[in-house]
């Protein structure tokens, strides 16, 4: 209303002129070039926003916009470098350090990460485990994420990656007899069909 876009109309509002910001892609790129925080989020907004109509109409595959080519690097940055990712992953890292403080000397800590995706949380947890040979099993439902994690984290002693659909019996997916001391499921279980069953 202050900018003259809306006008009071009884107990509601009436649009009196178009609200425009100019070219949103150009504005997004200006913000990115300014070096402001939120670059990971903004990069994806610009990338996907430019092709939103195509994604909504089915002309473009939304998953391709997020995960194909250099877009994948943007998603990795989002889940590891964005402000919220740094806060939440930092909390997970501190929780793992706290577990290690009280862990019995000489006993190996066996870690399972479920739905690890791009490895945003994984990187933080592996920092907390640095200097220790810890059996770490990175799992995700996506073979592409599992392969990318294998390439990114294979230098960590004890690191393995495996495809796992947590909505199905892990034993039927090659994890018969596996035992873990610490299970990490960051931002994933809510995406399953039945949270209680999962």
């Amino acid at each position: 209303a202050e900018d003259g876009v809306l006008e009071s109309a009884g107990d509601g509002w009436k649009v009196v002129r178009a609200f425009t910001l100019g070219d949103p892609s150009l504005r997004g790129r200006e913000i990115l070039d300014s070096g402001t925080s939120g670059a990971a989020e903004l990069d994806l907004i610009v990338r996907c926003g430019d092709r939103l109509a195509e994604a909504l109409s089915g002309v473009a595959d939304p998953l391709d916009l997020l995960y194909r080519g250099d877009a994948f690097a943007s998603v990795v940055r989002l889940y590891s470098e964005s402000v919220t990712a740094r806060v939440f992953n930092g909390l997970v890292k501190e929780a793992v350090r706290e577990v290690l403080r009280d862990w019995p000397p000489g006993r190996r800590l066996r870690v399972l990460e479920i739905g690890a995706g791009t490895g945003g949380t994984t990187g933080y947890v592996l920092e907390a485990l640095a200097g220790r040979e810890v059996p770490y099993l990175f799992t995700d439902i996506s073979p592409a994420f599992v392969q990318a994690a294998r390439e990114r984290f294979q230098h960590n002693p004890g690191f393995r990656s495996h495809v796992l659909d947590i909505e199905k019996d892990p034993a039927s997916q090659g994890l018969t007899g596996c035992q873990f001391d610490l299970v990490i499921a960051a931002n994933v279980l809510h995406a399953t069909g039945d949270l209680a069953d999962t």
Side-chain angles (χ1 to χ4, degrees):
E2 289 175 5
D3 291 333
V5 175
L6 300 177
E7 182 177 279
S8 180
D11 58 350
W13 295 91
K14 179 173 92 174
V15 177
V16 292
R17 75 171 172 81
F19 178 73
T20 60
L21 293 173
D23 181 352
S25 295
L26 180 60
R27 179 68 183 125
R29 290 188 198 340
E30 287 171 0
I31 295 170
L32 277 173
D33 291 342
S34 75
T36 186
S37 64
E41 297 94 325
L42 191 56
D43 180 47
L44 282 171
I45 289 169
V46 169
R47 176 188 310 279
C48 295
D50 284 348
R51 301 193 56 201
L52 181 60
E54 294 173 51
L56 293 174
S57 65
V59 173
D61 181 349
L63 294 178
D64 284 349
L65 295 179
L66 290 172
Y67 299 112
R68 297 282 184 251
D70 63 344
F72 185 75
S74 295
V75 175
V76 169
R77 280 197 318 276
L78 177 72
Y79 287 116
S80 58
E81 299 172 15
S82 68
V83 173
T84 53
R86 288 194 317 263
V87 169
F88 290 116
N89 290 333
L91 290 170
V92 173
K93 179 179 169 180
E94 287 308 310
V96 170
R97 284 184 172 155
E98 193 64 31
V99 167
L100 290 171
R101 273 192 263 291
D102 297 330
W103 200 249
R107 182 173 168 205
R108 292 187 323 159
L109 177 70
R110 299 162 298 183
V111 180
L112 168 66
E113 186 174 358
I114 298 169
T118 63
T121 301
T122 310
Y124 284 78
V125 174
L126 290 173
E127 282 179 30
L129 299 171
R132 298 171 183 256
E133 186 165 342
V134 173
Y136 193 106
L137 183 58
F138 173 109
T139 66
D140 196 86
I141 196 170
S142 164
F145 283 166
V146 168
Q147 179 59 38
R150 188 174 295 131
E151 293 167 9
R152 180 176 172 195
F153 299 117
Q154 66 185 348
H155 64 280
N156 291 278
F159 182 87
R160 294 182 306 127
S161 59
H162 187 83
V163 173
L164 175 67
D165 180 347
I166 197 58
E167 292 188 85
K168 297 178 182 168
D169 179 15
S172 70
Q173 299 174 74
L175 297 181
T176 303
C178 292
Q179 296 181 347
F180 302 95
D181 304 298
L182 177 62
V183 178
I184 298 167
N187 197 24
V188 65
L189 295 181
H190 67 281
T192 60
D194 186 319
L195 184 57
D197 284 349
T198 302

